[in-house]
């Protein structure tokens, strides 16, 4: 199972319009052979009606039960800490914010392989930060980039990523 953990906070109706666009893009563009489930990690939005609409849309699209947590204004860290209660040890979790729209297909087959079979615990998705140093790796027809945090840049960021529960348990 891949649990999509979407952090969200809508202080008003304008911001509440972002998350449905993100969910639409995930439903349209996310490619995986694993089951997908949404967890909405809310940080105390003004109204929860839009959260329940998101849940209904995700349940219809992916056929899995959505879970929702509320961190009551503890920020992204507090929201993620609560969300991790909804991720089992066997799940992978895809982190995304409520304002990061997927504009094209995202095939998770290599990231899932890196996590499930190769022993990696965290795979960044999407654009990289500048000034990163790393190594291009190849194994069994699959390519990826290992980042070296010792040379600066951000090896970890709150941009979209796919991770194991072990990553959260070790790093926090």
């Amino acid at each position: 199972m891949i649990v999509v953990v979407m952090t969200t906070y809508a202080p008003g109706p304008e911001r509440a319009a972002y998350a449905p666009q993100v969910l639409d893009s995930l439903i349209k563009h996310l490619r995986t052979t694993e089951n997908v489930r949404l967890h909405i990690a809310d940080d105390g939005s003004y109204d929860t009606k839009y959260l329940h609409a998101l849940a209904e849309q995700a349940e219809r699209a992916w056929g899995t039960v959505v879970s929702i947590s509320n961190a009551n204004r503890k920020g992204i860290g507090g929201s993620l800490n609560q969300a991790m209660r909804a991720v089992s040890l066997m799940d992978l979790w895809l982190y995304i914010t409520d304002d990061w729209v997927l504009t094209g297909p995202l095939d998770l087959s290599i990231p899932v392989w890196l996590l499930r079979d190769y022993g990696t615990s965290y795979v960044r998705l999407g654009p990289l930060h500048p000034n990163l140093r790393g190594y291009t790796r190849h194994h069994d027809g699959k390519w990826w980039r290992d980042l070296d945090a010792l040379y600066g840049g951000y090896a970890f960021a709150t941009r979209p990523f796919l991770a194991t529960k072990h990553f959260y348990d070790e790093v926090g």
Side-chain angles (χ1 to χ4, degrees):
M1 173 80 63
I2 294 176
V3 180
V4 174
V5 176
M6 181 192 300
T7 52
T8 186
Y9 172 64
E14 301 82 22
R15 177 86 185 168
Y18 292 4
Q21 295 173 38
V22 173
L23 183 57
D24 286 342
S25 74
L26 289 169
I27 291 167
K28 181 177 179 183
H29 295 300
L30 199 61
R31 306 286 185 262
T32 182
T33 58
E34 302 223 357
N35 289 329
V36 177
R37 181 174 71 79
L38 177 65
H39 177 83
I40 304 166
D42 188 52
D43 196 26
S45 293
Y46 79 104
D47 184 2
T48 59
K49 289 178 190 166
Y50 85 100
L51 300 176
H52 295 290
L54 284 173
E56 289 175 12
Q57 181 182 1
E59 287 175 356
R60 278 193 310 272
W62 291 323
T64 52
V65 176
V66 172
S67 52
I68 301 172
S69 58
N70 186 335
N72 293 313
R73 304 300 301 131
K74 292 187 179 108
I76 289 175
S79 294
L80 287 176
N81 285 339
Q82 285 206 345
M84 287 300 101
R85 296 176 189 153
V87 178
S88 80
L89 287 175
M90 297 306 297
D91 292 335
L92 300 178
W93 60 290
L94 188 153
Y95 173 71
I96 195 159
T97 61
D98 64 355
D99 60 358
W100 193 279
V101 174
L102 209 58
T103 59
L106 176 60
D107 183 353
L108 294 179
S109 59
I110 292 175
V112 166
W113 174 80
L114 285 167
L115 297 166
R116 294 238 188 255
D117 300 328
Y118 193 74
T120 303
S121 58
Y122 169 84
V123 177
R124 293 175 63 165
L125 306 170
L128 296 175
H129 282 279
N131 303 319
L132 293 175
R133 187 179 292 184
Y135 306 93
T136 303
R137 304 284 189 190
H138 180 264
H139 178 78
D140 197 27
K142 298 169 180 70
W143 293 86
W144 69 96
R145 183 101 172 137
D146 276 345
L147 301 180
D148 190 340
L150 296 177
Y151 290 97
Y154 294 98
F156 171 78
T158 53
R159 292 184 177 190
F161 63 81
L162 188 64
T164 63
K165 179 73 183 287
H166 177 73
F167 169 77
Y168 170 79
D169 293 338
E170 288 296 312
V171 177

